[in-house]
Every structure is written in structure tokens, then in C-alpha cells.
Amino acid sequence: MSPISILVLHGPNLNLLGQREPGIYGTVTLENINQQLHSLAGKLKCEIECHQSNHEGNLVDAIQGALGRHDGILINAAAYTHTSVAIRDALTAVDIPAVEVHLSNIYRREDFRHHSYIAPVVIGQVSGFGAQSYILALQALVNHLQP
Ligand code: CA2
């Protein structure tokens, strides 16, 4: 049997992690988060593929491209969380179990961040634990896929 495969998607501006606004998003870089996820994936004996895009359509393409290739999706859609019907529709269309991730606690921030278009179509959400949100989300997703 082939190992579980997870697609990790990072949305707009997350490529700036560790370089700007450390007070909100911390000092860890996206590359470091991806390294931590690869390390955990090794321990969990699953495979992961990580992508970042600043473009909504690219994220939709990546979600569609997961069909037949990945068993789960871990997604931080960043600002598109609060605006994108297209990303929500893509997640619904592929029907691949997904977990929504946020570095910050979106419910402690501005009102416009309190609503997620994605939350109703994913298994669950991890928000507010910095880079650890991704780690917790990967553990939860793999656990969901192989209970
Ligand atoms: O907390 C999160 O993970 C967010 O998804 C991050 C998004 C924000 O729009 C969401 O409301 C919550 C923003 C990502 C921007 O990342 C930056 C990183 C460093 C410097 C500037 C932006």
C-alpha cells in the first residue's frame, strides 16, 4: 500500500514569513515550517508536497490537481480565507479531507478575519499556535486518514 500523501498549501504573503511583521506572525520562515512538516511527515510515515502562491487561481489549480494524487490537504489560504468562494468551491469539488490552518488566532483579530469561507467545508481548523498550528494540523489530518 502506498503511503498517505498530503498536499500543503500556503496562500498569499506567507512567503514573507520571518522577514516582515514578526510581532504578528513570528520569526520562523516558510522554509523552516516546511522543513518541520517534512520532518514530522517522516515520523508519521506519510509524504507531503508543499506549495505557496500569491494567486487565487494557482491555489484553485493546486487543489484540483490534488485529485488522484493526494489523500489530504492542509491549507492556510491566508487572506483568501476571508474572501474566496473559488477556493471553497474547489475544496468542495475535490472532496479530499482538508484541514484549515492559521498562524494567528483569527478570532482575536479584526472582525473581517472572524469569518472563514473555508471552515464549513473542512474537517477542522487549527488557529493561533504559530508554526505549531501546522504541526498540530498535520498530526490531526494523518490521524483522521489512518485512525
Ligand atoms: O494567521 C494566519 O495564518 C493568516 O492566515 C495569515 C494571513 C491573514 O490574512 C489571515 O487573516 C490569517 C496573512 C498572511 C500574511 O503573512 C505575512 C507574513 C509576514 C509578513 C507579512 C504578512
Short mmCIF file of all heavy atoms in Angstrom, two decimals, residues 62-133:
data_model
loop_
_atom_site.label_atom_id
_atom_site.label_comp_id
_atom_site.label_asym_id
_atom_site.label_seq_id
_atom_site.Cartn_x
_atom_site.Cartn_y
_atom_site.Cartn_z
N ALA A 62 -4.06 24.08 -7.83
CA ALA A 62 -3.35 23.10 -6.99
C ALA A 62 -4.34 22.17 -6.30
O ALA A 62 -4.10 20.96 -6.19
CB ALA A 62 -2.48 23.82 -5.97
N ILE A 63 -5.47 22.72 -5.84
CA ILE A 63 -6.49 21.89 -5.17
C ILE A 63 -7.07 20.90 -6.19
O ILE A 63 -7.19 19.70 -5.91
CB ILE A 63 -7.58 22.78 -4.53
CG1 ILE A 63 -7.00 23.58 -3.37
CG2 ILE A 63 -8.76 21.93 -4.05
CD1 ILE A 63 -7.86 24.74 -2.90
N GLN A 64 -7.41 21.38 -7.38
CA GLN A 64 -7.93 20.47 -8.41
C GLN A 64 -6.89 19.40 -8.77
O GLN A 64 -7.23 18.25 -8.98
CB GLN A 64 -8.30 21.24 -9.67
CG GLN A 64 -9.53 22.12 -9.52
CD GLN A 64 -9.93 22.78 -10.83
OE1 GLN A 64 -9.47 22.39 -11.90
NE2 GLN A 64 -10.78 23.79 -10.75
N GLY A 65 -5.63 19.81 -8.81
CA GLY A 65 -4.54 18.88 -9.18
C GLY A 65 -4.30 17.81 -8.13
O GLY A 65 -3.60 16.83 -8.39
N ALA A 66 -4.87 18.00 -6.95
CA ALA A 66 -4.67 17.01 -5.87
C ALA A 66 -5.48 15.74 -6.11
O ALA A 66 -5.18 14.68 -5.54
CB ALA A 66 -5.04 17.62 -4.52
N LEU A 67 -6.51 15.87 -6.96
CA LEU A 67 -7.38 14.69 -7.22
C LEU A 67 -6.56 13.53 -7.78
O LEU A 67 -5.86 13.68 -8.78
CB LEU A 67 -8.46 15.06 -8.24
CG LEU A 67 -9.86 15.32 -7.72
CD1 LEU A 67 -10.82 15.50 -8.88
CD2 LEU A 67 -10.35 14.19 -6.82
N GLY A 68 -6.65 12.40 -7.12
CA GLY A 68 -5.94 11.22 -7.58
C GLY A 68 -4.47 11.20 -7.19
O GLY A 68 -3.76 10.23 -7.44
N ARG A 69 -3.97 12.29 -6.61
CA ARG A 69 -2.54 12.36 -6.25
C ARG A 69 -2.33 12.46 -4.74
O ARG A 69 -1.31 12.02 -4.22
CB ARG A 69 -1.88 13.57 -6.91
CG ARG A 69 -1.85 13.51 -8.43
CD ARG A 69 -1.05 14.66 -9.01
NE ARG A 69 0.31 14.68 -8.49
CZ ARG A 69 0.93 15.76 -8.06
NH1 ARG A 69 0.31 16.93 -8.06
NH2 ARG A 69 2.16 15.70 -7.62
N HIS A 70 -3.27 13.12 -4.05
CA HIS A 70 -3.12 13.32 -2.61
C HIS A 70 -4.35 12.83 -1.86
O HIS A 70 -5.47 12.89 -2.37
CB HIS A 70 -2.87 14.80 -2.30
CG HIS A 70 -1.63 15.35 -2.93
ND1 HIS A 70 -0.37 15.03 -2.46
CD2 HIS A 70 -1.44 16.17 -4.00
CE1 HIS A 70 0.54 15.64 -3.20
NE2 HIS A 70 -0.08 16.34 -4.15
N ASP A 71 -4.11 12.39 -0.61
CA ASP A 71 -5.20 11.87 0.22
C ASP A 71 -5.77 12.94 1.15
O ASP A 71 -6.86 12.76 1.70
CB ASP A 71 -4.67 10.72 1.09
CG ASP A 71 -3.99 9.67 0.24
OD1 ASP A 71 -4.71 9.05 -0.58
OD2 ASP A 71 -2.76 9.49 0.35
N GLY A 72 -5.01 14.01 1.37
CA GLY A 72 -5.45 15.06 2.27
C GLY A 72 -4.83 16.38 1.88
O GLY A 72 -3.81 16.42 1.18
N ILE A 73 -5.47 17.46 2.33
CA ILE A 73 -4.97 18.81 2.04
C ILE A 73 -4.89 19.60 3.35
O ILE A 73 -5.85 19.61 4.13
CB ILE A 73 -5.89 19.56 1.05
CG1 ILE A 73 -5.95 18.82 -0.29
CG2 ILE A 73 -5.43 21.01 0.86
CD1 ILE A 73 -6.96 19.41 -1.28
N LEU A 74 -3.74 20.23 3.55
CA LEU A 74 -3.55 21.12 4.69
C LEU A 74 -3.42 22.51 4.08
O LEU A 74 -2.55 22.75 3.24
CB LEU A 74 -2.25 20.69 5.37
CG LEU A 74 -2.02 21.00 6.82
CD1 LEU A 74 -1.07 19.94 7.35
CD2 LEU A 74 -1.39 22.34 6.92
N ILE A 75 -4.30 23.43 4.46
CA ILE A 75 -4.31 24.72 3.76
C ILE A 75 -4.36 25.92 4.70
O ILE A 75 -5.21 25.97 5.59
CB ILE A 75 -5.48 24.79 2.74
CG1 ILE A 75 -5.46 26.14 1.99
CG2 ILE A 75 -6.84 24.51 3.36
CD1 ILE A 75 -6.34 26.18 0.76
N ASN A 76 -3.41 26.83 4.50
CA ASN A 76 -3.50 28.17 5.07
C ASN A 76 -3.75 29.08 3.88
O ASN A 76 -2.80 29.47 3.18
CB ASN A 76 -2.24 28.58 5.82
CG ASN A 76 -2.40 29.95 6.48
OD1 ASN A 76 -3.37 30.66 6.23
ND2 ASN A 76 -1.44 30.31 7.33
N ALA A 77 -5.01 29.42 3.64
CA ALA A 77 -5.35 30.24 2.48
C ALA A 77 -5.07 31.71 2.74
O ALA A 77 -5.33 32.56 1.88
CB ALA A 77 -6.81 30.03 2.11
N ALA A 78 -4.54 32.02 3.93
CA ALA A 78 -4.19 33.40 4.31
C ALA A 78 -5.38 34.33 4.06
O ALA A 78 -6.50 33.99 4.43
CB ALA A 78 -2.91 33.83 3.60
N ALA A 79 -5.18 35.47 3.42
CA ALA A 79 -6.29 36.45 3.27
C ALA A 79 -7.45 35.87 2.46
O ALA A 79 -8.60 36.27 2.66
CB ALA A 79 -5.77 37.72 2.62
N TYR A 80 -7.16 34.92 1.56
CA TYR A 80 -8.25 34.32 0.77
C TYR A 80 -9.24 33.52 1.63
O TYR A 80 -10.35 33.25 1.20
CB TYR A 80 -7.69 33.42 -0.33
CG TYR A 80 -7.01 34.16 -1.45
CD1 TYR A 80 -5.81 33.70 -1.99
CD2 TYR A 80 -7.56 35.33 -1.98
CE1 TYR A 80 -5.17 34.38 -3.02
CE2 TYR A 80 -6.93 36.02 -3.00
CZ TYR A 80 -5.74 35.53 -3.52
OH TYR A 80 -5.11 36.20 -4.54
N THR A 81 -8.81 33.19 2.85
CA THR A 81 -9.72 32.54 3.80
C THR A 81 -11.02 33.33 3.93
O THR A 81 -12.11 32.76 4.02
CB THR A 81 -9.07 32.51 5.21
OG1 THR A 81 -7.81 31.86 5.12
CG2 THR A 81 -9.96 31.84 6.25
N HIS A 82 -10.85 34.66 3.95
CA HIS A 82 -11.97 35.55 4.27
C HIS A 82 -12.69 36.08 3.04
O HIS A 82 -13.62 36.87 3.17
CB HIS A 82 -11.44 36.72 5.11
CG HIS A 82 -10.44 36.32 6.15
ND1 HIS A 82 -10.76 35.48 7.19
CD2 HIS A 82 -9.12 36.59 6.28
CE1 HIS A 82 -9.67 35.27 7.93
NE2 HIS A 82 -8.66 35.93 7.39
N THR A 83 -12.24 35.66 1.86
CA THR A 83 -12.82 36.24 0.63
C THR A 83 -13.17 35.21 -0.44
O THR A 83 -13.96 35.50 -1.33
CB THR A 83 -11.84 37.23 -0.03
OG1 THR A 83 -10.66 36.53 -0.44
CG2 THR A 83 -11.47 38.36 0.91
N SER A 84 -12.56 34.04 -0.41
CA SER A 84 -12.56 33.21 -1.61
C SER A 84 -13.62 32.11 -1.67
O SER A 84 -13.46 31.02 -1.09
CB SER A 84 -11.18 32.56 -1.82
OG SER A 84 -11.19 31.81 -3.02
N VAL A 85 -14.66 32.38 -2.45
CA VAL A 85 -15.65 31.35 -2.75
C VAL A 85 -15.01 30.32 -3.70
O VAL A 85 -15.32 29.13 -3.64
CB VAL A 85 -16.91 31.99 -3.39
CG1 VAL A 85 -17.92 30.94 -3.78
CG2 VAL A 85 -17.54 33.00 -2.43
N ALA A 86 -14.08 30.78 -4.53
CA ALA A 86 -13.44 29.88 -5.51
C ALA A 86 -12.63 28.78 -4.81
O ALA A 86 -12.68 27.60 -5.21
CB ALA A 86 -12.54 30.68 -6.45
N ILE A 87 -11.89 29.13 -3.78
CA ILE A 87 -11.10 28.12 -3.06
C ILE A 87 -12.04 27.18 -2.30
O ILE A 87 -11.85 25.96 -2.31
CB ILE A 87 -10.06 28.80 -2.12
CG1 ILE A 87 -8.98 29.45 -2.99
CG2 ILE A 87 -9.46 27.80 -1.15
CD1 ILE A 87 -7.95 30.26 -2.22
N ARG A 88 -13.07 27.73 -1.69
CA ARG A 88 -14.05 26.87 -1.01
C ARG A 88 -14.70 25.90 -2.01
O ARG A 88 -14.82 24.70 -1.74
CB ARG A 88 -15.13 27.74 -0.38
CG ARG A 88 -16.28 26.94 0.23
CD ARG A 88 -17.39 27.89 0.58
NE ARG A 88 -18.60 27.22 1.00
CZ ARG A 88 -19.26 27.52 2.11
NH1 ARG A 88 -18.81 28.43 2.92
NH2 ARG A 88 -20.38 26.90 2.41
N ASP A 89 -15.10 26.42 -3.19
CA ASP A 89 -15.74 25.56 -4.19
C ASP A 89 -14.79 24.45 -4.66
O ASP A 89 -15.21 23.32 -4.90
CB ASP A 89 -16.22 26.38 -5.39
CG ASP A 89 -17.49 27.18 -5.09
OD1 ASP A 89 -18.10 26.96 -4.03
OD2 ASP A 89 -17.86 28.02 -5.93
N ALA A 90 -13.51 24.79 -4.81
CA ALA A 90 -12.52 23.79 -5.25
C ALA A 90 -12.37 22.70 -4.19
O ALA A 90 -12.33 21.50 -4.53
CB ALA A 90 -11.17 24.46 -5.52
N LEU A 91 -12.33 23.09 -2.93
CA LEU A 91 -12.21 22.09 -1.85
C LEU A 91 -13.46 21.20 -1.82
O LEU A 91 -13.36 19.98 -1.64
CB LEU A 91 -12.03 22.79 -0.49
CG LEU A 91 -10.67 23.45 -0.25
CD1 LEU A 91 -10.72 24.36 0.97
CD2 LEU A 91 -9.57 22.38 -0.09
N THR A 92 -14.62 21.80 -2.02
CA THR A 92 -15.86 21.02 -2.07
C THR A 92 -15.85 20.07 -3.26
O THR A 92 -16.22 18.90 -3.14
CB THR A 92 -17.08 21.96 -2.18
OG1 THR A 92 -17.05 22.88 -1.10
CG2 THR A 92 -18.38 21.19 -2.15
N ALA A 93 -15.40 20.57 -4.41
CA ALA A 93 -15.42 19.78 -5.65
C ALA A 93 -14.53 18.55 -5.56
O ALA A 93 -14.93 17.45 -5.96
CB ALA A 93 -15.00 20.65 -6.83
N VAL A 94 -13.32 18.70 -5.03
CA VAL A 94 -12.40 17.55 -4.99
C VAL A 94 -12.78 16.57 -3.88
O VAL A 94 -12.46 15.39 -3.95
CB VAL A 94 -10.92 17.94 -4.87
CG1 VAL A 94 -10.48 18.74 -6.09
CG2 VAL A 94 -10.62 18.70 -3.58
N ASP A 95 -13.44 17.10 -2.85
CA ASP A 95 -13.91 16.25 -1.75
C ASP A 95 -12.77 15.44 -1.11
O ASP A 95 -12.94 14.26 -0.79
CB ASP A 95 -15.04 15.32 -2.25
CG ASP A 95 -15.87 14.76 -1.11
OD1 ASP A 95 -15.90 15.39 -0.03
OD2 ASP A 95 -16.46 13.68 -1.29
N ILE A 96 -11.62 16.08 -0.97
CA ILE A 96 -10.47 15.46 -0.29
C ILE A 96 -10.44 16.03 1.13
O ILE A 96 -10.53 17.26 1.30
CB ILE A 96 -9.15 15.81 -1.03
CG1 ILE A 96 -9.16 15.21 -2.43
CG2 ILE A 96 -7.94 15.34 -0.23
CD1 ILE A 96 -8.00 15.69 -3.31
N PRO A 97 -10.33 15.18 2.16
CA PRO A 97 -10.30 15.70 3.52
C PRO A 97 -9.24 16.79 3.70
O PRO A 97 -8.08 16.60 3.29
CB PRO A 97 -9.97 14.47 4.37
CG PRO A 97 -10.45 13.31 3.55
CD PRO A 97 -10.22 13.71 2.11
N ALA A 98 -9.67 17.92 4.27
CA ALA A 98 -8.75 19.05 4.40
C ALA A 98 -8.82 19.63 5.81
O ALA A 98 -9.83 19.53 6.49
CB ALA A 98 -9.09 20.13 3.38
N VAL A 99 -7.70 20.24 6.22
CA VAL A 99 -7.64 20.95 7.50
C VAL A 99 -7.18 22.38 7.21
O VAL A 99 -6.25 22.61 6.44
CB VAL A 99 -6.70 20.27 8.51
CG1 VAL A 99 -6.55 21.10 9.78
CG2 VAL A 99 -7.23 18.88 8.88
N GLU A 100 -7.88 23.33 7.82
CA GLU A 100 -7.56 24.76 7.68
C GLU A 100 -6.60 25.18 8.79
O GLU A 100 -6.83 24.84 9.96
CB GLU A 100 -8.87 25.56 7.78
CG GLU A 100 -8.68 27.05 7.75
CD GLU A 100 -10.02 27.80 7.88
OE1 GLU A 100 -11.10 27.16 7.80
OE2 GLU A 100 -9.98 29.02 8.08
N VAL A 101 -5.55 25.89 8.42
CA VAL A 101 -4.52 26.28 9.37
C VAL A 101 -4.36 27.80 9.40
O VAL A 101 -4.40 28.44 8.33
CB VAL A 101 -3.15 25.70 8.95
CG1 VAL A 101 -2.07 26.08 9.96
CG2 VAL A 101 -3.20 24.21 8.79
N HIS A 102 -4.15 28.36 10.60
CA HIS A 102 -3.75 29.76 10.71
C HIS A 102 -2.69 29.90 11.78
O HIS A 102 -2.79 29.29 12.86
CB HIS A 102 -4.95 30.65 11.06
CG HIS A 102 -5.98 30.63 9.99
ND1 HIS A 102 -5.80 31.27 8.79
CD2 HIS A 102 -7.18 30.01 9.92
CE1 HIS A 102 -6.86 31.05 8.03
NE2 HIS A 102 -7.71 30.28 8.68
N LEU A 103 -1.70 30.71 11.48
CA LEU A 103 -0.66 31.00 12.47
C LEU A 103 -1.24 31.79 13.64
O LEU A 103 -1.00 31.48 14.80
CB LEU A 103 0.45 31.83 11.80
CG LEU A 103 1.21 31.12 10.69
CD1 LEU A 103 1.76 32.14 9.71
CD2 LEU A 103 2.33 30.28 11.27
N SER A 104 -1.98 32.83 13.30
CA SER A 104 -2.57 33.69 14.33
C SER A 104 -3.96 33.18 14.68
O SER A 104 -4.56 32.41 13.92
CB SER A 104 -2.66 35.14 13.81
OG SER A 104 -3.48 35.20 12.66
N ASN A 105 -4.46 33.63 15.84
CA ASN A 105 -5.84 33.30 16.22
C ASN A 105 -6.74 34.31 15.52
O ASN A 105 -6.86 35.46 15.95
CB ASN A 105 -5.99 33.38 17.74
CG ASN A 105 -7.41 33.06 18.17
OD1 ASN A 105 -8.33 33.02 17.36
ND2 ASN A 105 -7.60 32.84 19.46
N ILE A 106 -7.37 33.87 14.44
CA ILE A 106 -8.13 34.82 13.60
C ILE A 106 -9.32 35.42 14.37
O ILE A 106 -9.81 36.48 14.00
CB ILE A 106 -8.60 34.18 12.27
CG1 ILE A 106 -9.45 32.94 12.49
CG2 ILE A 106 -7.41 33.86 11.38
CD1 ILE A 106 -10.05 32.36 11.19
N TYR A 107 -9.75 34.77 15.45
CA TYR A 107 -10.91 35.26 16.23
C TYR A 107 -10.52 36.32 17.26
O TYR A 107 -11.38 36.94 17.87
CB TYR A 107 -11.63 34.07 16.89
CG TYR A 107 -12.03 33.07 15.84
CD1 TYR A 107 -11.27 31.91 15.63
CD2 TYR A 107 -13.10 33.32 14.98
CE1 TYR A 107 -11.60 31.02 14.63
CE2 TYR A 107 -13.43 32.44 13.97
CZ TYR A 107 -12.68 31.29 13.79
OH TYR A 107 -12.98 30.42 12.79
N ARG A 108 -9.22 36.51 17.44
CA ARG A 108 -8.74 37.57 18.35
C ARG A 108 -8.34 38.81 17.58
O ARG A 108 -7.85 39.77 18.15
CB ARG A 108 -7.52 37.08 19.14
CG ARG A 108 -7.85 36.01 20.14
CD ARG A 108 -6.63 35.64 20.96
NE ARG A 108 -6.24 36.71 21.86
CZ ARG A 108 -5.27 36.59 22.77
NH1 ARG A 108 -4.61 35.45 22.88
NH2 ARG A 108 -4.98 37.58 23.56
N ARG A 109 -8.52 38.77 16.26
CA ARG A 109 -8.06 39.87 15.43
C ARG A 109 -9.26 40.68 14.89
O ARG A 109 -10.34 40.63 15.45
CB ARG A 109 -7.16 39.30 14.32
CG ARG A 109 -5.94 38.57 14.89
CD ARG A 109 -5.00 38.10 13.82
NE ARG A 109 -4.44 39.21 13.08
CZ ARG A 109 -3.75 39.08 11.95
NH1 ARG A 109 -3.51 37.86 11.46
NH2 ARG A 109 -3.28 40.14 11.31
N GLU A 110 -9.06 41.42 13.83
CA GLU A 110 -10.12 42.28 13.29
C GLU A 110 -11.36 41.46 12.92
O GLU A 110 -11.24 40.30 12.54
CB GLU A 110 -9.63 43.02 12.03
CG GLU A 110 -8.37 43.84 12.21
CD GLU A 110 -7.12 43.09 11.81
OE1 GLU A 110 -7.01 41.88 12.07
OE2 GLU A 110 -6.22 43.74 11.22
N ASP A 111 -12.53 42.10 13.00
CA ASP A 111 -13.79 41.41 12.71
C ASP A 111 -13.78 40.71 11.35
O ASP A 111 -14.32 39.62 11.20
CB ASP A 111 -14.98 42.38 12.75
CG ASP A 111 -15.34 42.76 14.18
OD1 ASP A 111 -14.74 42.20 15.12
OD2 ASP A 111 -16.22 43.63 14.34
N PHE A 112 -13.18 41.36 10.33
CA PHE A 112 -13.24 40.77 8.99
C PHE A 112 -12.50 39.43 8.90
O PHE A 112 -12.73 38.66 7.98
CB PHE A 112 -12.73 41.75 7.91
CG PHE A 112 -11.25 42.02 7.94
CD1 PHE A 112 -10.36 41.18 7.28
CD2 PHE A 112 -10.74 43.13 8.62
CE1 PHE A 112 -8.99 41.43 7.28
CE2 PHE A 112 -9.37 43.39 8.63
CZ PHE A 112 -8.50 42.54 7.98
N ARG A 113 -11.64 39.16 9.90
CA ARG A 113 -10.92 37.85 9.89
C ARG A 113 -11.70 36.77 10.62
O ARG A 113 -11.29 35.62 10.68
CB ARG A 113 -9.54 37.99 10.54
CG ARG A 113 -8.61 38.92 9.79
CD ARG A 113 -7.21 38.90 10.40
NE ARG A 113 -6.50 40.12 10.07
CZ ARG A 113 -5.79 40.32 8.95
NH1 ARG A 113 -5.68 39.36 8.06
NH2 ARG A 113 -5.18 41.47 8.72
N HIS A 114 -12.83 37.14 11.22
CA HIS A 114 -13.57 36.15 12.01
C HIS A 114 -14.37 35.18 11.15
O HIS A 114 -14.77 34.12 11.61
CB HIS A 114 -14.53 36.84 13.00
CG HIS A 114 -13.83 37.68 14.01
ND1 HIS A 114 -14.49 38.37 14.99
CD2 HIS A 114 -12.50 37.94 14.20
CE1 HIS A 114 -13.61 39.04 15.72
NE2 HIS A 114 -12.40 38.79 15.26
N HIS A 115 -14.61 35.59 9.90
CA HIS A 115 -15.36 34.70 9.02
C HIS A 115 -14.43 33.98 8.05
O HIS A 115 -13.59 34.60 7.40
CB HIS A 115 -16.42 35.46 8.21
CG HIS A 115 -17.14 34.56 7.26
ND1 HIS A 115 -16.85 34.49 5.91
CD2 HIS A 115 -18.12 33.65 7.48
CE1 HIS A 115 -17.63 33.59 5.35
NE2 HIS A 115 -18.41 33.07 6.28
N SER A 116 -14.57 32.67 7.99
CA SER A 116 -13.82 31.86 7.04
C SER A 116 -14.79 31.20 6.06
O SER A 116 -15.71 30.50 6.48
CB SER A 116 -13.03 30.77 7.77
OG SER A 116 -12.57 29.80 6.85
N TYR A 117 -14.56 31.43 4.75
CA TYR A 117 -15.36 30.74 3.73
C TYR A 117 -15.02 29.25 3.69
O TYR A 117 -15.78 28.44 3.18
CB TYR A 117 -15.10 31.35 2.34
CG TYR A 117 -15.92 32.58 2.07
CD1 TYR A 117 -15.41 33.85 2.30
CD2 TYR A 117 -17.22 32.48 1.59
CE1 TYR A 117 -16.17 34.99 2.07
CE2 TYR A 117 -17.99 33.61 1.35
CZ TYR A 117 -17.46 34.86 1.59
OH TYR A 117 -18.22 35.98 1.36
N ILE A 118 -13.84 28.92 4.21
CA ILE A 118 -13.31 27.56 4.08
C ILE A 118 -13.77 26.65 5.22
O ILE A 118 -14.01 25.46 5.02
CB ILE A 118 -11.77 27.65 4.02
CG1 ILE A 118 -11.37 28.33 2.70
CG2 ILE A 118 -11.10 26.29 4.15
CD1 ILE A 118 -9.94 28.76 2.67
N ALA A 119 -13.94 27.24 6.40
CA ALA A 119 -14.24 26.44 7.59
C ALA A 119 -15.39 25.44 7.42
O ALA A 119 -15.28 24.29 7.88
CB ALA A 119 -14.50 27.35 8.79
N PRO A 120 -16.50 25.81 6.75
CA PRO A 120 -17.61 24.84 6.65
C PRO A 120 -17.33 23.63 5.77
O PRO A 120 -18.10 22.68 5.79
CB PRO A 120 -18.75 25.68 6.05
CG PRO A 120 -18.38 27.11 6.29
CD PRO A 120 -16.88 27.13 6.22
N VAL A 121 -16.25 23.65 4.97
CA VAL A 121 -16.02 22.53 4.05
C VAL A 121 -14.77 21.73 4.41
O VAL A 121 -14.33 20.88 3.62
CB VAL A 121 -15.99 23.01 2.57
CG1 VAL A 121 -17.29 23.71 2.21
CG2 VAL A 121 -14.79 23.90 2.27
N VAL A 122 -14.18 22.01 5.57
CA VAL A 122 -13.00 21.23 6.00
C VAL A 122 -13.36 20.39 7.24
O VAL A 122 -14.39 20.59 7.86
CB VAL A 122 -11.79 22.14 6.31
CG1 VAL A 122 -11.31 22.84 5.04
CG2 VAL A 122 -12.11 23.16 7.40
N ILE A 123 -12.48 19.45 7.56
CA ILE A 123 -12.70 18.62 8.75
C ILE A 123 -12.63 19.49 10.00
O ILE A 123 -13.43 19.37 10.92
CB ILE A 123 -11.60 17.55 8.89
CG1 ILE A 123 -11.47 16.69 7.65
CG2 ILE A 123 -11.85 16.66 10.11
CD1 ILE A 123 -10.16 15.92 7.68
N GLY A 124 -11.61 20.35 10.05
CA GLY A 124 -11.42 21.19 11.23
C GLY A 124 -10.42 22.29 10.96
O GLY A 124 -9.84 22.37 9.86
N GLN A 125 -10.22 23.10 11.98
CA GLN A 125 -9.38 24.29 11.85
C GLN A 125 -8.41 24.35 13.03
O GLN A 125 -8.81 24.06 14.16
CB GLN A 125 -10.30 25.51 11.87
CG GLN A 125 -9.66 26.84 11.64
CD GLN A 125 -10.64 27.97 11.94
OE1 GLN A 125 -11.01 28.19 13.10
NE2 GLN A 125 -11.07 28.67 10.91
N VAL A 126 -7.15 24.73 12.77
CA VAL A 126 -6.19 24.98 13.85
C VAL A 126 -5.71 26.42 13.69
O VAL A 126 -5.17 26.78 12.63
CB VAL A 126 -4.99 24.02 13.80
CG1 VAL A 126 -4.08 24.26 15.00
CG2 VAL A 126 -5.43 22.56 13.76
N SER A 127 -5.90 27.23 14.72
CA SER A 127 -5.66 28.67 14.60
C SER A 127 -5.03 29.21 15.87
O SER A 127 -5.56 28.97 16.97
CB SER A 127 -7.01 29.35 14.34
OG SER A 127 -6.91 30.75 14.33
N GLY A 128 -3.91 29.91 15.74
CA GLY A 128 -3.40 30.65 16.89
C GLY A 128 -2.13 30.12 17.53
O GLY A 128 -1.65 30.70 18.50
N PHE A 129 -1.56 29.06 16.99
CA PHE A 129 -0.39 28.45 17.63
C PHE A 129 0.91 28.70 16.87
O PHE A 129 1.88 27.97 17.04
CB PHE A 129 -0.62 26.95 17.81
CG PHE A 129 -1.77 26.63 18.73
CD1 PHE A 129 -3.03 26.36 18.23
CD2 PHE A 129 -1.60 26.64 20.11
CE1 PHE A 129 -4.10 26.09 19.07
CE2 PHE A 129 -2.65 26.37 20.97
CZ PHE A 129 -3.91 26.10 20.46
N GLY A 130 0.91 29.71 16.02
CA GLY A 130 2.11 29.98 15.23
C GLY A 130 2.45 28.79 14.34
O GLY A 130 1.55 28.09 13.86
N ALA A 131 3.75 28.55 14.16
CA ALA A 131 4.17 27.44 13.30
C ALA A 131 3.63 26.10 13.80
O ALA A 131 3.38 25.17 13.01
CB ALA A 131 5.70 27.40 13.22
N GLN A 132 3.41 26.03 15.11
CA GLN A 132 2.89 24.80 15.71
C GLN A 132 1.49 24.46 15.17
O GLN A 132 1.10 23.28 15.17
CB GLN A 132 2.87 24.97 17.24
CG GLN A 132 2.47 23.76 18.04
CD GLN A 132 3.54 22.68 18.07
OE1 GLN A 132 4.66 22.89 17.57
NE2 GLN A 132 3.24 21.53 18.61
N SER A 133 0.75 25.46 14.69
CA SER A 133 -0.57 25.19 14.09
C SER A 133 -0.45 24.17 12.96
O SER A 133 -1.29 23.28 12.80
CB SER A 133 -1.21 26.47 13.54
OG SER A 133 -1.61 27.34 14.57
#
